Amino acid sequence: MTKFSDLNLNPKVLKAIDEAGYESPTPIQAGAIPPALEGRDVLGIAQTGTGKTASFTLPLITMLARGRARARMPRSLVLCPTRELAAQVAENFDTYAKHVKLTKALLIGGVSFKEQDILIDKGVDVLIATPGRLLDHFERGKLILNDVKVMVVDEADRMLDMGFIPDIERIFGLTPFTRQTLFFSATMAPEIERITNTFLSNPERIEVARQATASETIEQGVVMFKGSRKDREGSEKRKVLRLIIDGEGEKCTNAIIFCNRKTDVDTVAKSLKKYGYDAAPIHGDLDQSQRTRTLEGFRNGELRFLVASDVAARGLDVPSVSHVFNFDVPSHAEDYVHRIGRTGRAGRDGKAMMICVPRDEKNFDAIEKLIQKEIPRLDNPLGTKAPEPADTNPDDKVEDKPKRTRRPRKAKDDAPHAEEVKADAPMQEVEAKETPKPEQEATAKASSSRGGRSSDRGGRGKGRNDDRGGNKVVGLGDHTPTFIQLSFDERRAS
Ligand code: AMP
């Protein structure tokens, strides 16, 4: 078996790996690190949970350990689809580069430009960014990409879902032709294939097993549920969720609860809280500091239930999540794989339970087809008999009210995400683009006519408003997570 010491990594990087407690490289690391260190382009087809972040971070640190960055000219670039993922890559970078003197900056939407500019002005070795925010800095003349030696694109398939491909193409064009590219995607959609054919030069292709086949440590189950009446379905479904959670008892130490719609993320979190569960929501409409706070709380065990949308939770690495509850059946089968992959990580056991209502059965079938496995049916904890009206908490009816203002049922059933696109503010473009649907294309086109950029542009507006200065750490506004704060403080002190 390959050992880390066989991979030609910098000894200081090996020391950090040892301190992180890793015994041997994962398949994506064993496959990607050697060609990356030889200066070759790499095309990694791997999902989150496979150790892919270290597979580009470790060689990047080794390669950058020599040399220094010049003002405004980063030496490497890591592009991530979401702010959370970018922050997570920054955290990985800190872990593995702790014995190497390198500087980094995190450019994400929703936070001040000013302090990000100060860092860039000083010169950074690694720039970790979401595409829109990076281009905003570039357009403001604050950033020169001519010295980028290595460019990493992480989660390219999610970039595609979110409408970032034009941005990525543009960024490729702004970096030197001679740069090295490390490109990662969970799947190879034709558009991703096209990009890699255009911008990668004779890449080493490493494909690791899809998580759908690798998730044997995750016990799965589904409750087939039908509301007693259409207008009670929401509150009854929330009751089913509570009963499932209760049924797991203390085995459920912490959990991510996924909903398809952002409004449901809020409703479910509010409802759980009302019933005494320690829950908080996370989705693209919440402001960045709140998102960061919630995530920090969940990661360090202060928060038990994180109620999330796909985009907000995608790629997040919380090593020990005991349960994933799918309040809704995801409308894209691959999202099921991503969602349940939040549990059962690093060989631990995990449990993933889902609620399926009759209108979701088609999507449910698609999931079973994708994972080539029948998901065991669990007993409906409400029993087969429809609950009496008295079973329904009167307060819950209030929560159902917003649903009455929604669009007619047919359209809603056909396109569960669509209704939120129109009503939502720019910040929501992040999630709106997550699952492009015909109904959303007009919105998408309107935004692309401004230059094709999208997701973290919403954050850009916010960032401008935030440009009021102060001495905060660049990257995460008023509520910088401790791990990032520390790393920047160390750099400042040195
Ligand atoms: P990723 O796929 O990058 O999200 O990584 C998933 C998790 O695996 C993270 O918690 C990493 O800290 C962990 N990890 C990465 N490489 C290794 C390794 N070689 N051995 C054990 N755990 C690892």
Side-chain angles (χ1 to χ4, degrees):
M1 196 167 60
T2 317
K3 293 195 288 263
F4 275 114
S5 53
D6 300 333
L7 297 178
N8 269 333
L9 290 162
N10 180 309
K12 290 179 180 169
V13 174
L14 287 176
K15 186 167 178 236
I17 294 170
D18 194 44
E19 286 164 4
Y22 302 166
E23 281 170 13
S24 51
T26 64
I28 187 73
Q29 291 162 1
I33 294 173
L37 286 175
E38 283 166 23
R40 290 194 55 192
D41 282 0
V42 168
L43 171 57
I45 304 164
Q47 291 185 343
T48 177
T50 55
K52 70 172 168 59
T53 316
S55 78
F56 61 78
T57 318
L58 300 176
L60 193 59
I61 297 166
T62 298
M63 291 187 284
L64 295 173
R66 273 192 240 133
R68 277 212 79 52
R70 285 186 280 165
R72 293 197 201 170
M73 299 175 88
R75 298 160 71 204
S76 69
L77 196 58
V78 181
L79 296 173
C80 302
T82 63
R83 301 163 187 185
E84 279 78 12
L85 202 56
Q88 200 167 284
V89 169
E91 186 189 2
N92 270 255
F93 186 83
D94 285 346
T95 305
Y96 308 133
K98 66 178 177 186
H99 302 301
V100 184
K101 201 169 162 28
L102 290 176
T103 52
K104 70 161 195 303
L106 183 60
L107 300 192
I108 53 179
V111 289
S112 159
F113 274 94
K114 195 173 159 191
E115 292 163 24
Q116 296 182 334
D117 284 346
I118 295 172
L119 269 190
I120 296 170
D121 278 351
K122 281 193 205 151
V124 288
D125 297 301
V126 186
L127 199 56
I128 303 164
T130 48
R133 180 48 80 108
L134 181 94
L135 285 172
D136 283 339
H137 275 274
F138 181 80
E139 279 164 10
R140 293 163 77 247
K142 298 289 182 186
L143 189 60
I144 302 164
L145 297 174
N146 294 352
D147 200 31
V148 170
K149 310 246 176 343
V150 188
M151 172 163 154
V152 179
V153 179
D154 194 16
E155 305 230 347
D157 50 339
R158 187 52 46 157
M159 302 261 197
L160 175 67
D161 287 350
M162 294 169 72
F164 278 156
I165 294 301
D167 285 0
I168 298 295
E169 291 193 69
R170 191 165 161 225
I171 297 166
F172 267 125
L174 296 172
T175 57
F177 178 68
T178 50
R179 65 155 200 273
Q180 178 183 8
T181 309
L182 311 176
F183 191 99
F184 291 81
S185 187
T187 55
M188 287 302 284
E191 182 68 353
I192 301 287
E193 194 89 48
R194 181 186 68 76
I195 299 283
T196 57
N197 290 339
T198 312
F199 295 104
L200 271 62
S201 160
N202 186 28
E204 176 82 22
R205 185 181 166 118
I206 301 111
E207 186 161 359
V208 300
R210 291 188 53 139
Q211 223 168 345
T213 55
S215 59
E216 296 307 324
T217 56
I218 304 172
E219 186 185 336
Q220 301 174 53
V222 61
V223 172
M224 302 310 245
F225 163 75
K226 186 172 188 300
S228 64
R229 260 177 26 193
K230 187 77 198 157
D231 63 343
R232 287 193 197 138
E233 187 184 275
S235 60
E236 288 173 3
K237 200 173 167 191
R238 289 192 290 277
K239 183 165 187 180
V240 171
L241 174 68
R242 293 194 299 276
L243 291 172
I244 296 176
I245 293 173
D246 294 347
E248 291 302 296
E250 287 184 1
K251 281 181 288 171
C252 179
T253 50
N254 61 347
I256 305 181
I257 299 164
F258 283 98
C259 301
N260 289 356
R261 306 175 185 88
K262 281 173 280 190
T263 47
D264 284 339
V265 169
D266 282 330
T267 309
V268 169
K270 218 166 111 193
S271 161
L272 283 172
K273 259 197 276 187
K274 200 173 65 190
Y275 282 91
Y277 297 77
D278 178 23
I282 181 164
H283 58 67
D285 290 354
L286 301 171
D287 76 52
Q288 185 60 34
S289 57
Q290 196 178 346
R291 287 160 74 172
T292 306
R293 244 190 346 259
T294 302
L295 268 176
E296 278 275 287
F298 188 66
R299 283 174 152 202
N300 62 29
E302 284 161 17
L303 175 72
R304 187 170 170 218
F305 297 104
L306 182 71
V307 189
S309 63
D310 287 289
V311 164
R314 162 120 183 167
L316 291 180
D317 179 34
V318 182
S320 52
V321 174
S322 73
H323 285 64
V324 165
F325 297 106
N326 282 303
F327 183 73
D328 297 307
V329 175
S331 41
H332 294 266
E334 302 81 40
D335 283 338
Y336 177 75
V337 179
H338 292 308
R339 287 182 181 188
I340 71 167
R342 307 297 93 222
T343 181
R345 282 165 100 80
R348 291 187 183 88
D349 288 337
K351 202 158 178 184
M353 299 159 97
M354 179 156 69
I355 306 173
C356 177
V357 295
R359 69 169 174 281
D360 288 337
E361 277 168 16
K362 227 165 91 186
N363 290 332
F364 179 72
D365 290 345
I367 290 169
E368 288 197 322
K369 211 164 140 208
L370 174 75
I371 64 172
Q372 294 179 359
K373 185 168 155 178
E374 190 173 310
I375 300 175
R377 271 54 171 176
L378 306 171
D379 289 338
N380 177 355
L382 281 181
T384 42
K385 193 166 100 30
E388 296 301 319
D391 269 10
T392 312
N393 183 304
D395 291 349
D396 255 4
K397 284 183 187 157
V398 178
E399 289 164 358
D400 281 344
K401 264 187 185 154
K403 290 187 181 157
R404 292 191 199 123
T405 62
R406 288 180 175 173
R407 301 186 320 160
R409 193 190 324 150
K410 182 172 183 311
K412 181 173 114 187
D413 288 351
D414 287 350
H417 295 251
E419 66 203 77
E420 303 191 1
V421 177
K422 290 191 191 122
D424 288 342
M427 230 338 242
Q428 294 202 335
E429 283 179 76
V430 171
E431 305 227 348
K433 295 203 170 189
E434 171 193 10
T435 46
K437 303 242 179 251
E439 293 93 319
Q440 295 178 13
E441 271 172 14
T443 325
K445 278 191 186 129
S447 95
S448 71
S449 68
R450 300 186 319 232
R453 295 215 258 109
S454 45
S455 176
D456 52 349
R457 284 206 138 209
R460 184 189 69 157
K462 216 175 172 70
R464 282 198 180 135
N465 293 337
D466 281 356
D467 260 357
R468 284 177 224 116
N471 246 350
K472 287 163 260 133
V473 169
V474 172
L476 291 170
D478 293 329
H479 300 278
T480 311
T482 327
F483 65 84
I484 291 176
Q485 179 97 39
L486 275 176
S487 75
F488 279 87
D489 286 344
E490 277 161 18
R491 311 267 185 252
R492 276 188 189 144
S494 61

